[in-house]
Amino acid sequence: MPYFDAASAAPLHPVARQALLASLDEGWADPARLYREGRRARLLLDAAREAAADAVGCRPDELVFTPSGTRALHDGIAGALAGRRRVGRHMAVSAVEHSAVLQSAAALEAAGGSFTEVPVDRTGRVAPGAYAAALRPDTALAALQSANHEVGTEQPVAEVAEECRAAGVPLLVDAAQSLGWGRVEGGWSLLTASAHKWGGPSGVGLLAVRKGVRFAAQGPADERESGRAPGFPDLPAIVAAAASLRAVRAEAAAEGARLRALVDRVRARVPELVRDVEVVGDPRRRLPHLVTFSCLYVDGESLLHALDRAGFSVSSGSSCTSSTLTPSHVLRAMGVLSEGNVRVSLPVGTAEEDVERFLEVLPGVVASVREQLGAPTETAAPAGEAAELVVDALGKRCPIPVIELAKAFPGVPVGGLVTVLSDDEAARLDVPAWCEMRGQEYVGEHSVEGGVAYTVRRLA
Amino acid sequence: MPYFDAASAAPLHPVARQALLASLDEGWADPARLYREGRRARLLLDAAREAAADAVGCRPDELVFTPSGTRALHDGIAGALAGRRRVGRHMAVSAVEHSAVLQSAAALEAAGGSFTEVPVDRTGRVAPGAYAAALRPDTALAALQSANHEVGTEQPVAEVAEECRAAGVPLLVDAAQSLGWGRVEGGWSLLTASAHKWGGPSGVGLLAVRKGVRFAAQGPADERESGRAPGFPDLPAIVAAAASLRAVRAEAAAEGARLRALVDRVRARVPELVRDVEVVGDPRRRLPHLVTFSCLYVDGESLLHALDRAGFSVSSGSSCTSSTLTPSHVLRAMGVLSEGNVRVSLPVGTAEEDVERFLEVLPGVVASVREQLGAPTETAAPAGEAAELVVDALGKRCPIPVIELAKAFPGVPVGGLVTVLSDDEAARLDVPAWCEMRGQEYVGEHSVEGGVAYTVRRLA
């Protein structure tokens, strides 16, 4: 039963399991205590810190362990912002950061600060120049992920770090998705990561703060982890996290190349096997193990369930699979199709035949979901006579508004207009994406009672 | 090699180990995902929540898992304070709470709020009436531990909860030390605990918030754990925590009685075996497994090291074993001797012969530390003639100032005064404690250049 959602959580690496078991016996005591069990725990903690710092590329005293990647981001951002509060209360972030970064920025705004979201191109990548333009005299902190968690696109961290250095702004890099594959290059100031993304146990994040970076830990004072991560450290998990990071790094070059080839195959074959698919993310500057595509006229939740029944565990950024009823903010920022979205992220050791089997299964699964939804078929209907048609899809959820649009479209001649009325957030993204995929013109949107009208001109 | 510091961290319970191993395989995936690995994780999480809620005595939807007891306290207090911010920004705490509570109160004060520390008696217990007197119209939250972590004294939680209810103030109970032994009775509003205190793994805390209690989670928004504990949950550890809580509870009555008898033996024998010892904490209303005593003329760190060499791992609230150079705030609030302080907290399953062996070893260890420090012997010197003596112990650390006091004391006649000059924080506690133990009169203190003068009158 292939599990293809490593970007969410990877199964425990055998080295992590072994280290965890060993340190359950050796590392349960308080490393702050003076007696032998405490000293033994301290040695394990020190060794784990050294191993993790070596993998990150920082000094051991620059790195602390946190209870998760999210907490590393929350606490790291809060500490860095407070440390430079005199400079100002503005933060720069890319539009495709992890929600923990964006929610930290929102919390800053709620507390009276402000933030700028740097846009990305259609591959999900920020331009260093655009990032530089977001830096202001009152910018306390900039944040940029090393690679995107939903589409795999690598960000130009070294170039942005150079822009930040020139502007005197510390750069925090969220390396959650990439740290298992290698160090983050460039002059970053703070770095965070999450162990369960590289096959370490859950319950461990990393926060590195370069010497000289102003940092004022927030929240009640606590002596643990240099005062930067309160609470008793989860030592067995920390030991397992450090050991598995070292292990995956040792395999990273070879395994990365192997998975990259499998992902290349998925990227190439999916559009050949399934019509009306958009493969998203940068085709070259990307994580080795991750590929994302979106399928027109498909409901993401139905697709996930059907793939699950077929034995494949994947993730989706479609609105109908989230609790918020909005498509993933990453897909929105990229301006790509969100419906029928599938993220495939291969764990270390994924077998080639599992990927081949996925490619065999996918076309039938997509076709059956489309059939259930009454998606339009490829046979072109003769052009209709109405100069303008209005499709009322109010109250209907993704992907129905786009299906209704596609079905109505043959009813107008070339040059004619079709307007879709929809109150589904996904339509804002998916109607223009449909135009792009179909070579039609997206005219624009305007408010109507109960929703939004999206207008498309037939070009072909 | 007996480990007697269960109040700091207990070795992993066999049931916790077994549950952890099983859920490493079954519970590594994201419980928020729809595919089978996610659903399996969700089932484990739900079952763990039900088991923990049953042990706490609350509804499952009132309980969330946090990364530690400290984080449960930090986040629980911050959320409860924010939830009642309109009422006011005052907090009531006992003077002997865990540092995570006191530091939360300090953070409230730093942010413009205020707090009242309710004093304790010499056994470490708050009086419900005194607690009630600390509640004000602007009190947003009251906090009281179920039992003290350093001396084992149980607090009158049910009575204080009643006072809080009458005043309309929610009561947060830190049950870290007691939850393994039983439910916290009484009408508390919030409750926190820490799994590694009952033999669960580190990395798991509990936060229960009763329905109807106003709560506004602080920090960046996050969907996990009802929005109250951000970050990917450490599911294997959570499963192990819940399973071991159930297991220790099943043994609690019998094991509690057995350990209570061992602790009674320590409480009775230590003062017989070692002269100039003060056993602290309530002799009856206390945790079953914990006993604390302080030894005059003894340096806590030397004592801990000597006991460690003899094979016993214990903890200490003496100033010289902490990084802050001040004695434990608990001993200070109780007004008891802090020098030569030893906390013995027996893990579940402690063998009787290990306790007997501790009692055999202790007198020699204390005697050798005293000898190294040149502590006064019992032979009474003839009374001297000087009506007043001044002992300059400036620059000398605990327990030297008290040793110097005791050595100088025979130099004055009954009615005479001895004044000790000291810049060691422990002297403020230990000079009066010495007077109490010796039946002499503590006259008072006043500032002098470079320190404080503590004056004692000879009564016998």
Side-chain angles (χ1 to χ4, degrees), chain B residues 94-181:
Chain B
S94 91
V96 295
E97 294 301 304
H98 188 272
S99 60
V101 174
L102 297 181
Q103 294 289 3
S104 292
L108 171 66
E109 193 177 62
S114 64
F115 68 95
T116 302
E117 261 188 27
V118 182
V120 295
D121 64 18
R122 210 174 157 83
T123 72
R125 190 173 163 95
V126 298
Y131 208 107
L135 302 175
R136 311 190 323 204
D138 65 338
T139 303
L141 179 66
L144 180 64
Q145 62 197 189
S146 54
N148 186 267
H149 50 301
E150 288 193 33
V151 300
T153 299
E154 288 175 345
Q155 301 295 349
V157 168
E159 294 96 313
V160 170
E162 193 48 44
E163 299 286 358
C164 288
R165 195 200 54 73
V169 174
L171 176 68
L172 180 147
V173 176
D174 170 10
Q177 293 297 332
S178 76
L179 195 67
W181 299 109

Side-chain angles (χ1 to χ4, degrees), chain B residues 109-346:
Chain B
E109 193 177 62
S114 64
F115 68 95
T116 302
E117 261 188 27
V118 182
V120 295
D121 64 18
R122 210 174 157 83
T123 72
R125 190 173 163 95
V126 298
Y131 208 107
L135 302 175
R136 311 190 323 204
D138 65 338
T139 303
L141 179 66
L144 180 64
Q145 62 197 189
S146 54
N148 186 267
H149 50 301
E150 288 193 33
V151 300
T153 299
E154 288 175 345
Q155 301 295 349
V157 168
E159 294 96 313
V160 170
E162 193 48 44
E163 299 286 358
C164 288
R165 195 200 54 73
V169 174
L171 176 68
L172 180 147
V173 176
D174 170 10
Q177 293 297 332
S178 76
L179 195 67
W181 299 109
R183 282 189 185 176
V184 174
E185 301 301 334
W188 51 265
S189 297
L190 301 99
L191 182 143
T192 64
S194 172
H196 74 113
K197 309 286 190 192
W198 69 64
S202 45
V204 184
L206 306 181
L207 169 62
V209 182
R210 292 271 192 217
K211 286 286 159 206
V213 173
R214 287 185 185 279
F215 193 91
Q218 297 300 286
D222 188 278
E223 289 183 6
R224 304 279 178 184
E225 293 294 291
S226 311
R228 292 179 178 169
F232 196 90
D234 186 356
L235 194 46
I238 286 169
V239 170
S244 54
L245 180 54
R246 193 193 289 260
V248 297
R249 277 292 187 79
E251 309 157 348
E255 184 64 8
R258 196 181 72 81
L259 294 183
R260 187 174 288 273
L262 294 180
V263 162
D264 280 339
R265 171 126 177 102
V266 174
R267 292 186 72 95
R269 288 295 286 154
V270 165
E272 293 168 3
L273 294 166
V274 183
R275 70 180 169 89
D276 295 331
V277 159
E278 182 174 11
V279 178
V280 298
D282 195 295
R284 291 171 298 107
R285 293 174 297 194
R286 61 172 170 80
L287 292 169
H289 66 303
L290 195 155
V291 52
T292 302
F293 53 87
S294 299
C295 311
L296 260 186
Y297 317 137
V298 168
D299 152 28
E301 184 160 353
S302 300
L303 183 56
L304 253 55
H305 282 309
L307 284 170
D308 179 48
R309 281 193 298 276
F312 294 92
S313 300
V314 297
S315 182
S316 172
S318 295
S319 58
C320 45
T321 52
S322 78
S323 56
T324 55
L325 290 179
T326 55
S328 129
H329 69 275
V330 172
L331 302 178
R332 265 188 290 159
M334 294 166 68
V336 295
L337 186 71
S338 82
E339 63 187 40
N341 181 257
V342 171
R343 176 183 72 183
V344 171
S345 53
L346 307 176

